[in-house]
Amino acid sequence: MKIILLQDEKKLGKKGDIIDASDGYARNYILPKKIGVEATPKNMNDLKLQKANDAKIAQEQLDAAKALAAELEGKQVTVKIKAGEGGKAFGSVSSKEIATAFKQQHNLEVDKKKIQLPESLKSFGSYEVTVKLHPQVTGKLNVKVVEA
């Protein structure tokens, strides 16, 4: 019996795969647990439409990430931190502080989880920080750390 998987299953395959399963295994395990559905012509057509829709959404996300990466180029964010004696900084600059400062200064949203700091920014100066916007798209952001 041909089955279309509705979710990733370790021993069977990934979501959307069409597999061959014995009739008993399909009727007694796969279908009751809603792991898959029978590969009827209607279900095959639904799968094709779903894959086309997923591809369209993935392309839109990639285009949006590329546009945001182009917008990030050349932008600089100034982050202020407190300094102690001798001009040493208290603590370090986190990705959350960078994202908040970027939103305030440039009115653009950047997820703090996507900002990749090479090391903790513990001293004053300018740094180039990588922002992973999409698995295929990364952007560069200039961060300037100054004394508050």
Side-chain angles (χ1 to χ4, degrees):
M1 176 182 287
K2 292 214 180 272
I3 301 289
I4 300 171
L5 294 178
L6 298 176
Q7 62 191 32
D8 292 351
E9 190 67 26
K10 197 172 193 176
K11 294 179 182 176
L12 298 175
K14 297 207 177 277
K15 178 180 177 179
D17 286 352
I18 299 171
I19 60 165
D20 269 327
S22 66
D23 290 350
Y25 185 61
R27 268 193 231 105
N28 295 322
Y29 182 76
I30 296 174
L31 297 177
K33 292 197 178 227
K34 307 241 187 288
I35 296 170
V37 294
E38 192 173 348
T40 61
K42 180 199 176 296
N43 288 341
M44 295 289 283
N45 191 35
D46 289 347
L47 174 68
K48 188 169 75 171
L49 293 174
Q50 182 66 35
K51 283 188 177 182
N53 188 34
D54 290 346
K56 181 182 172 193
I57 290 171
Q59 185 61 41
E60 287 173 355
Q61 289 174 343
L62 179 64
D63 293 342
K66 285 181 181 177
L68 185 56
E71 217 170 318
L72 288 179
E73 283 301 317
K75 298 243 179 175
Q76 183 173 357
V77 177
T78 305
V79 180
K80 296 178 181 178
I81 57 172
K82 292 182 181 177
E85 292 179 25
K88 284 191 102 181
F90 279 138
S92 63
V93 178
S94 68
S95 59
K96 181 180 180 183
E97 292 170 325
I98 294 171
T100 304
F102 191 74
K103 171 113 172 95
Q104 290 172 349
Q105 294 170 20
H106 299 288
N107 205 21
L108 283 173
E109 285 281 337
V110 176
D111 189 7
K112 68 179 183 181
K113 295 174 187 164
K114 295 181 179 183
I115 297 174
Q116 298 176 328
L117 298 174
E119 73 278 336
S120 57
L121 308 179
K122 292 184 178 181
S123 58
F124 302 115
S126 293
Y127 300 93
E128 192 171 87
V129 176
T130 304
V131 181
K132 190 150 177 86
L133 301 168
H134 188 271
Q136 301 168 355
V137 179
T138 58
K140 299 282 186 192
L141 181 63
N142 293 321
V143 178
K144 186 175 183 182
V145 181
V146 296
E147 188 174 343

